[in-house]
Amino acid sequence: GVPGTITLADGRALRCEVMDISLSGARVTAPVALPDTFDLRIRSSATGLVCRVLWRKDAAVGVRFVTRASPTGTGPDAQDRT
């Protein structure tokens, strides 16, 4: 896996491991339970991604990439965050 950073709605940042990366999603493991939607930055990429959880198993979640994260949380990239 590759290292990543999850940013939660309250602004907290968590380290995670990202595995099985595809164009549409990935498997993510984190030290805490994750919300249904969160922002993910994969260290190997400068692009932030909004992720929606599709499944959960133990410390892992399968996510679908919804859109690129907007630095401000507004604008066209943030439209599918709800």
Side-chain angles (χ1 to χ4, degrees):
V2 296
T5 303
I6 293 169
T7 303
L8 303 176
D10 64 6
R12 286 185 298 152
L14 305 170
R15 288 185 179 170
C16 66
E17 184 175 8
V18 186
M19 296 154 287
D20 303 334
I21 302 167
S22 71
L23 291 175
S24 61
R27 180 168 47 111
V28 178
T29 58
V32 300
L34 297 172
D36 291 336
T37 304
F38 56 87
D39 292 342
L40 172 66
R41 185 167 305 275
I42 300 171
R43 191 168 292 173
S44 61
S45 170
T47 303
L49 301 161
V50 176
C51 297
R52 181 164 292 142
V53 174
L54 299 176
W55 57 263
R56 298 172 186 273
K57 183 174 181 186
D58 302 322
V61 295
V63 299
R64 177 172 60 106
F65 302 138
V66 178
T67 183
R68 283 176 299 201
S70 169
T72 61
T74 60
D77 285 345
Q79 65 187 357
D80 197 10
R81 294 179 133 218
T82 58

